Amino acid sequence: MPITAYNDYIQQLQTTIRCKRRDREAKARIQIAICRNGYGYRSVGFFGDPPSEKAWSGPISSTDWQPDTDDRVTKEVDRFFGLPQIFAYSERALGRGRNPALIAHWDATVAMFEISFLSGSDIFEQRMMFAGFEDPVHAEFSVEVDGDILVHDHGTGSHFYEWRKIPSRTESAVEPAMVTD
C-alpha cells in the first residue's frame, strides 16, 4: 500500500487555522510545534473573544526556550505550509522508541498540529505529526527509511488522528482547555 501524501490536507489545515484565528466568535485551541535542523518552534493559541497566543523557540536539546519576539515561529509555520512534499507519521512512530523530531532525515521539517474547535454543540479535533520536504529526492529517501511509520491510506489512531467530531460539549476534556484566564 502506498504512502499517503498530505499536501492537500495541509492546505486545508492552513485554511482552517487562518479562519479560526480571524473569527472573533470562534472558540478554538491551536497548538503547533515545528522542528527543523535541531531547532524547535512552538505556539499555543486560544482563539475567540479574547484571543491569546504565545510562542517560543530554541534548540531541541534545550529546556530553556525563549519567548518569540520577532515572529520566527509564525515564519517557520508558514514555511512548513509551503513545503511541496508532506507525509504524516502514524502511531507506529510512537512504538519505535525514537522521537521522529529528533531522528528524522536531516532535510525534513517535522511538525505537530493539535487543534480543537467548537462548532455548534460539537467539538472537532485533530492531532497529526508530519514530515515535510523541500525536494522529492530527500522525501523519497525518508519514505524508504521510515516508510513503516508513515501513514498509508489515511489511517487514524488514538494518538495521531485526522479530524474527528466529539458530540455534545458537556464535560468534554477539550472544552476546558479552550478557556483562558
Side-chain angles (χ1 to χ4, degrees):
M1 185 176 298
I3 305 293
T4 302
Y6 271 81
N7 298 58
D8 292 338
Y9 184 92
I10 283 295
Q11 294 309 306
Q12 292 169 354
L13 188 61
Q14 181 183 32
T15 299
T16 300
I17 290 170
R18 284 181 178 163
C19 289
K20 297 304 173 194
R21 282 184 166 150
R22 285 192 304 250
D23 184 358
R24 300 293 276 174
E25 300 299 316
K27 293 215 181 294
R29 177 177 46 92
I30 301 171
Q31 297 184 79
I32 302 170
I34 303 277
C35 172
R36 182 167 69 96
N37 295 331
Y39 208 77
Y41 307 85
R42 181 172 183 248
S43 69
V44 176
F46 301 96
F47 300 93
D49 192 17
S52 170
E53 188 169 19
K54 295 181 181 180
W56 307 266
S57 63
I60 289 293
S61 60
S62 171
T63 58
D64 187 32
W65 285 23
Q66 298 300 310
D68 182 29
T69 57
D70 57 0
D71 287 333
R72 287 187 297 167
V73 174
T74 300
K75 291 173 188 167
E76 277 300 314
V77 171
D78 288 344
R79 181 190 165 282
F80 180 79
F81 283 129
L83 293 173
Q85 303 279 323
I86 297 178
F87 303 103
Y89 286 102
S90 71
E91 291 191 354
R92 290 181 303 276
L94 300 173
R96 248 197 193 175
R98 56 186 191 149
N99 182 340
L102 298 176
I103 54 86
H105 183 265
W106 63 270
D107 195 46
T109 299
V110 176
M112 177 83 171
F113 291 87
E114 186 171 355
I115 300 167
S116 45
F117 67 89
L118 187 62
S119 179
S121 63
D122 294 320
I123 294 174
F124 291 86
E125 63 181 12
Q126 74 89 56
R127 182 187 311 135
M128 296 288 291
M129 182 181 281
F130 301 96
F133 301 89
E134 291 186 20
D135 65 83
V137 172
H138 290 103
E140 288 174 23
F141 176 80
S142 185
V143 166
E144 287 299 316
V145 171
D146 287 332
D148 63 318
I149 61 172
L150 297 174
V151 171
H152 301 256
D153 196 29
H154 295 283
T156 60
S158 59
H159 294 289
F160 294 150
Y161 45 86
E162 295 181 22
W163 290 108
R164 66 183 182 188
K165 180 172 87 169
I166 301 173
S168 175
R169 37 186 298 227
T170 60
E171 302 302 319
S172 171
V174 176
E175 191 172 67
M178 291 184 194
V179 178
T180 61
D181 293 330

